[in-house]
Amino acid sequence: MSDSSRDTAEGAGWGEAERGAYRRLMPSHVEKLFWFNPRTMWAARNGVLASWFGDPTGTTRGRWVAQRTAGGAADDKVVRRTEADRFSFMVIGDTGEGDDSQYAVVPGFLKASQDTDFAVIASDVIYPVGATDDYGTKFFRPYQDYPAPIYAIPGNHDWYEGLGAFMRVFCDDAPALPPEPKPRPLSRAWWRTLLWHRPSPADEQLLAQARTLRSAPGQAAVQPGPYWAIDAGPLRIVGIDTGLLGTVDAEQGAWLREVSRGPRPKILVTGSPLYVDGEHHPCPIDGGGTVDDIVRDPAHHYVAAIGGDIHNYQRYPVDVAGRTVQYVVAGGGGAFMHATHTIPRVSVAGVTEDDFRCYPLRGDSLAFYSRLYGRRLRMPRFFTLTAGEATAVIAERLGIKPGRTPGPDTRVTRRTRLVASLLGAGGNPDRTSRFRLPVKKIYTQLFSPGSATYTPPFFKCFLRLDVSPETVRLRCFAATGNRAQELEPPVEDEIVIPLT
């Protein structure tokens, strides 16, 4: 087994490593996605408009579901597969930037996914706005050699063009919805409609060509809508759509309660993680209650809840009335990396640092961003921290044992501490300074979303789950963009979850 980031710095992808062969899979021309480009920000404005003038996602989702049901989709929205009691599937989240950081995941994903029965994309299949014309280079091309079906739940970016492209690709080429009635003039809905981003006309020839890349019979997957359940072997996998603002409408909430009943073990896949960055986000349901209420109900037999949206890996084993539910963040499948070094020392729902796992390690995250901003600000000598320095200063600030032991000559200096503070490094909640929280908010909300990079290590990840009648073995694999991790993807975390 190859070294992981917990074993060595080389296992994390640092050092003079051979670059991977993933670029051979990419198109000859790749349009790099810059999140602070005004055109990109304007095209992705619907999330902001929904928060200002009301979120139409629930109504639109209901119309999509009604259309699919009228077209013959199963009323219960359950896909019944024919796997035996032992099977395997992949989960990969937030994939579709279409550049180096997405394609760097593909060789390791194909290696680790051998003999799996299907895959699930957990949130944000296509960036920046879920456009139809982007599916060729951001879905069909990268996963053309994965031989099994791929199911998906949409993320907020897939909703920025009303989910039309997602429904066409994953839901049996669902036709466009008819126009809605015009809202009352000068109402909130009128202002929202006036400013709303609408889909661009699709290039039908381009989409048809793209579909040929995943046209083998074994790759076919038709799902009943944007939310669904999959029965496979002894397990039920429940996928929910949390729309633009991370909420669930009343109709979907009622379905979720119904499909969650019964003794069959279940895993939730959601576009909004329920535990993330040391905080609990239970996900409200319109009309009352939360998604996590349903997950925690012992009558529903959930053993894990996996969420995308945040572009890294985190795991929280939460004790729920004497049983453990594994809450996982798995959004590191291809988009820019959300920092982990901004996560404070974990203490939530009885989960402590000893129980918590993340990838990249906080020290590697800090080293990654110090190098990135050293280049951007043209101050590499000041900003850039070695992986050892970053690991040591994180351990000092959080008062924790480092995930990987820094070298014996590593020193924490004033410069190291200052850089860690400037880049929003997480702290010990018992010793939080008065100014650190605003710094973290500025960092995570302003700097992090534009932090794309095009040279390894990328610190991407994906999951493989191996199911038996008694257990689910969940492994988080890393993808750095270096050749060594392509040939043998390292396991960054592993847990065996009992089903009985």
Side-chain angles (χ1 to χ4, degrees):
M1 181 180 291
S2 60
D3 285 347
S4 73
S5 69
R6 293 180 175 271
D7 299 318
T8 63
E10 291 74 22
W14 299 115
E16 298 297 325
E18 179 188 357
R19 191 165 182 151
Y22 67 86
R23 278 182 162 264
R24 300 173 190 170
L25 307 173
M26 297 174 65
S28 56
H29 172 71
V30 175
E31 184 177 349
K32 290 179 171 30
L33 182 57
F34 294 102
W35 286 99
F36 285 147
N37 184 312
R39 292 179 60 187
T40 302
M41 296 174 71
W42 179 241
R45 63 189 180 272
N46 285 359
V48 175
L49 295 175
S51 67
W52 288 352
F53 301 113
D55 184 3
T57 302
T59 301
T60 306
R61 183 189 295 118
R63 297 175 69 212
W64 280 120
V65 170
Q67 183 201 75
R68 290 286 293 136
T69 303
D75 288 341
D76 61 4
K77 303 170 187 61
V78 177
V79 177
R80 291 173 173 85
R81 295 185 55 85
T82 58
E83 275 76 25
D85 283 349
R86 298 177 185 274
F87 74 98
S88 303
F89 68 102
M90 306 295 290
V91 176
I92 183 169
D94 298 81
T95 53
E97 282 203 359
D99 51 25
D100 293 61
S101 61
Q102 177 176 11
Y103 279 86
V105 179
V106 175
F109 176 84
L110 294 176
K111 178 87 173 179
S113 67
Q114 291 178 9
D115 74 15
T116 56
D117 295 273
F118 58 91
V120 174
I121 297 180
S123 180
D124 290 340
V125 182
I126 302 294
Y127 292 100
V129 295
T132 305
D133 290 355
D134 286 338
Y135 267 86
T137 56
K138 299 179 181 182
F139 174 72
F140 288 105
R141 185 185 182 105
Y143 310 118
Q144 61 182 313
D145 293 326
Y146 180 66
I150 299 176
Y151 303 94
I153 57 168
N156 58 314
H157 288 267
D158 299 305
W159 269 100
Y160 287 160
E161 289 203 347
L163 209 65
F166 180 96
M167 296 297 293
R168 291 193 64 181
V169 171
F170 293 103
C171 299
D172 203 22
D173 211 14
L177 293 175
E180 291 187 89
K182 292 184 178 181
R184 181 169 50 86
L186 300 181
S187 64
R188 295 176 71 205
W190 183 86
W191 283 108
R192 183 184 66 218
T193 302
L194 181 67
L195 298 171
W196 202 249
H197 170 79
R198 291 173 176 79
S200 304
D203 184 331
E204 296 298 332
Q205 183 177 359
L206 187 67
L207 178 61
Q209 292 173 346
R211 287 182 189 272
T212 65
L213 299 176
R214 282 190 52 82
S215 58
Q219 294 174 316
V222 175
Q223 59 191 59
Y227 57 91
W228 42 258
I230 297 173
D231 283 350
L235 191 67
R236 171 167 282 185
I237 304 154
V238 180
I240 61 171
D241 169 20
T242 55
L244 282 170
L245 301 181
T247 60
V248 169
D249 63 279
E251 180 184 354
Q252 183 180 185
W255 169 84
L256 178 60
R257 292 184 177 96
E258 181 65 31
V259 83
S260 298
R261 290 175 180 160
R264 191 172 194 151
K266 300 171 187 73
I267 291 177
L268 181 75
V269 182
T270 169
S272 299
L274 304 180
Y275 282 88
V276 60
D277 293 348
E279 298 175 347
H280 184 210
H281 297 270
C283 189
I285 297 174
D286 290 350
T290 70
V291 170
D292 202 28
D293 291 338
I294 296 171
V295 170
R296 287 170 171 266
D297 189 330
H300 295 157
H301 297 276
Y302 278 92
V303 298
I306 302 171
D309 188 53
I310 304 301
H311 305 165
N312 53 46
Y313 173 81
Q314 302 173 43
R315 180 170 63 82
Y316 302 81
V318 176
D319 182 271
V320 179
R323 62 192 178 92
T324 299
V325 178
Q326 300 289 340
Y327 290 87
V328 176
V329 178
F336 67 88
M337 186 192 86
H338 276 132
T340 59
H341 66 265
T342 57
I343 303 172
R345 193 183 69 188
V346 170
S347 179
V348 60
V351 179
T352 67
E353 275 293 329
D354 291 339
D355 311 310
F356 171 69
R357 293 291 181 272
C358 70
Y359 176 78
L361 297 174
R362 290 184 181 94
D364 288 328
S365 172
L366 179 58
F368 174 97
Y369 276 100
S370 74
R371 184 175 69 167
L372 180 66
Y373 281 97
R375 289 200 306 266
R376 284 188 171 179
L377 301 176
R378 299 186 180 181
M379 300 173 64
R381 293 187 62 184
F382 172 73
F383 266 100
T384 303
L385 304 180
T386 67
E389 289 172 332
T391 298
V393 74
I394 287 288
E396 178 187 87
R397 290 177 68 87
L398 272 66
I400 62 173
K401 181 180 178 181
R404 183 180 67 244
T405 304
D409 298 329
T410 302
R411 295 173 56 242
V412 177
T413 64
R414 288 183 180 179
R415 180 187 70 89
T416 307
R417 294 187 181 100
L418 179 56
V419 170
S421 293
L422 290 172
L423 294 182
N428 182 334
D430 299 330
R431 296 183 280 120
T432 300
S433 67
R434 278 187 275 180
F435 67 88
R436 190 186 61 76
L437 182 59
V439 169
K440 180 187 172 185
K441 283 185 130 182
I442 291 170
Y443 178 81
T444 55
Q445 294 178 10
L446 178 61
F447 292 159
S448 188
S451 301
T453 185
Y454 302 102
T455 56
F458 294 112
F459 296 110
K460 302 289 96 187
C461 59
F462 53 88
L463 308 183
R464 173 173 172 140
L465 293 91
D466 299 293
V467 182
S468 75
E470 298 81 23
T471 62
V472 174
R473 181 192 184 196
L474 183 153
R475 285 176 288 172
C476 172
F477 289 89
T480 66
N482 290 328
R483 186 63 173 157
Q485 286 82 39
E486 281 187 353
L487 295 173
E488 193 173 352
V491 177
E492 290 292 336
D493 188 32
E494 179 173 356
I495 185 71
V496 176
I497 305 169
L499 294 184
T500 57

